[in-house]
Amino acid sequence: MRKIAVFMIVAFVAAASQAVLLMEESFENYAPGPLAGTPGAEAGQVGNWTLQGTAAAWDVGPGLDGGQGLVTVGTGGDGDIYIDLATPSAGGVIWVSYEVSTPRYGGHLYLSTSGGWGGAFGHGWNQTVTINNTTAPNNVPFPIDGTTLQLVEMIDYNTNEQRVWVNPVGPTLPVGTEDVYRVEGIGTDPTRLIIRNYNNDATYDNIRIGTTAFDVIPEPSTLALLGLAGLALVARKRK
């Protein structure tokens, strides 16, 4: 039992040591109210949040985790808000995740880190989870009832492949288990975080960019496992 516990701790520490969180936006570090014109409050961001396209209301307000989030009320047309990124080179692969909920559908809503719409993922025109309006292989519906989704994307800049998982369980996401897949040129590294809303009401929260899935997916199960491993060691010593 002691060997198993030690192995679990070593495996967890090894995985964590290889992970690098490039950016995290929790929306907890802003005063409630309009986000546009506000300096970025998290590491890896440069300059102010900026509106472009058709105007929409982008306000810091009640989030999806009990704290604050980005609440937007859409209008007819593409409304975007963005901030530039100053993230280090990701070595070819990055992971991106965010939480999103919408009670009203009027078009697409996306998040992108490429500076354009290559690799943008979220809610497409076909009312499914998509990458830049790619039809999902499993046709995963995007609920329009206020349900919170966690969307996780892996971007491989070497192969231009993007893969999206919907509400993944745990930080281990093997290639081939994704819900959406697309090949599309998107640059070399994260350059700009853009959030787009086309006439939807929505809330966004907990945006993360990292070099592994461990960076961007909450790990309560892994932390619990680590705790159990520690308890096993204590029990072993008491014997």
Side-chain angles (χ1 to χ4, degrees):
M1 185 65 166
R2 182 174 182 275
K3 289 182 179 180
I4 295 175
V6 170
F7 172 79
M8 287 191 293
I9 292 175
V10 170
F12 175 82
V13 172
S17 66
Q18 297 172 10
V20 178
L21 184 63
L22 302 175
M23 194 220 73
E24 180 176 17
E25 181 54 87
S26 64
F27 299 105
E28 304 296 341
N29 298 308
Y30 304 95
L35 183 61
T38 303
E42 303 275 0
Q45 301 174 352
V46 178
N48 296 343
W49 285 94
T50 303
L51 289 176
Q52 65 181 5
T54 302
W58 300 86
D59 293 328
V60 176
L64 301 174
D65 59 0
Q68 294 187 157
L70 179 60
V71 181
T72 179
V73 177
T75 58
D78 285 327
D80 307 337
I81 193 165
Y82 71 84
I83 193 164
D84 290 324
L85 300 175
T87 53
S89 175
V93 175
I94 67 164
W95 291 77
V96 185
S97 77
Y98 68 107
E99 296 163 20
V100 61
S101 170
T102 180
R104 186 179 67 85
Y105 171 77
H108 54 241
L109 51 93
Y110 283 146
L111 182 145
S112 173
T113 60
S114 68
W117 297 109
F121 65 115
H123 184 310
W125 287 105
N126 58 5
Q127 300 191 40
T128 64
V129 177
T130 68
I131 305 171
N132 208 355
N133 278 327
T134 295
T135 301
N138 299 324
N139 201 33
V140 181
F142 195 116
I144 315 298
D145 59 4
T147 298
T148 296
L149 295 183
Q150 184 186 42
L151 304 179
V152 179
E153 181 176 51
M154 182 181 73
I155 299 173
D156 189 330
Y157 292 110
N158 299 314
T159 62
N160 288 321
E161 293 176 288
Q162 299 106 55
R163 306 172 190 274
V164 169
W165 288 261
V166 182
N167 290 332
V169 178
T172 303
L173 303 178
V175 169
T177 64
E178 66 275 0
D179 296 294
V180 192
Y181 175 82
R182 183 179 175 94
V183 179
E184 178 182 26
I186 52 174
T188 57
D189 278 305
T191 57
R192 175 175 284 180
L193 175 63
I194 314 175
I195 308 172
R196 167 163 286 189
N197 185 336
Y198 191 105
N199 197 25
N200 302 275
D201 297 342
T203 301
Y204 303 82
D205 213 342
N206 298 319
I207 304 169
R208 300 179 181 92
I209 306 172
T211 58
T212 75
F214 281 89
D215 301 319
V216 303
I217 302 175
E219 307 169 54
S221 59
T222 304
L223 294 178
L225 185 64
L226 183 60
L228 288 173
L231 289 173
L233 283 175
V234 171
R236 178 71 178 180
K237 287 180 179 179
R238 286 180 178 174
K239 289 181 179 180

